């Protein structure tokens, strides 16, 4: 069960770039969660999967030399979901049909999250250097939060400043 969750239904075994595959696989799940329960369900699911992913990561890496093997992608799922929070919140707030999940928002979230996850600036790198299951999960949560800021700024520029 831990391998199934930590690899996000074995998506983590896809090559090349399993982290990118895991990030991409997170988007349809976020869309379904948003459709079923809006931002509230997406946030609750994020926390539930964060803590179960932490457990799964600990189980998969126990006794291993590599504390963050590339096939573990549940952390990318968490980061992507956090990056998508502003999109989900904005759609929920605007009263948009819950099954609408417009592509500019999730593309910005995906690109920003991958940028921060790969480049590991500041606090992302700090938590990435922790050789613990919590560090594996939390560096992506921080990268997701940084990407969420980018999504919110992009939405403001697009919808607020430009009035689109």
């Amino acid at each position: 069960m831990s391998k199934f969750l930590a690899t996000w239904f074995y998506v983590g075994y896809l090559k090349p770039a399993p982290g990118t595959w895991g990030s991409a696989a997170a988007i349809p799940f976020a869309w379904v969660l948003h459709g079923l329960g809006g931002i509230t369900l997406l946030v609750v699911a994020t926390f539930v999967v964060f803590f179960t992913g932490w457990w799964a990561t600990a189980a998969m890496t126990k006794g291993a030399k590599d504390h963050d093997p590339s096939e573990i992608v549940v952390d990318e799922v968490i980061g992507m979901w956090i990056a998508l929070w502003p999109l989900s919140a904005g759609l929920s707030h605007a009263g948009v049909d819950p099954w609408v999940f417009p592509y500019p928002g999730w593309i910005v979230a995906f690109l920003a999250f991958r940028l921060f996850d790969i480049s590991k600036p500041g606090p992302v790198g700090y938590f990435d250097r922790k050789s613990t299951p919590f560090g594996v999960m939390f560096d992506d949560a921080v990268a997701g939060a940084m990407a969420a800021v980018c999504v919110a700024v992009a939405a403001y520029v697009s919808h607020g400043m430009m009035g689109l």
Side-chain angles (χ1 to χ4, degrees), residues 38-101:
I39 183 63
T40 303
L41 183 58
L42 183 56
V43 169
V44 168
T46 301
F47 280 96
V48 168
V49 174
F50 178 89
F51 288 107
T52 56
W54 184 2
W55 163 81
T57 299
M60 254 189 91
T61 59
K62 186 174 184 173
K65 283 185 175 184
D66 188 357
H67 78 281
D68 191 3
S70 63
E71 66 268 15
I72 294 178
V73 296
V74 68
D75 52 332
E76 273 80 12
V77 172
I78 294 305
M80 271 305 303
W81 286 1
I82 292 169
L84 290 166
W85 284 1
L87 174 63
S88 181
L91 295 170
S92 296
H93 177 72
V96 174
D97 178 340
W99 292 102
V100 171
F101 214 57

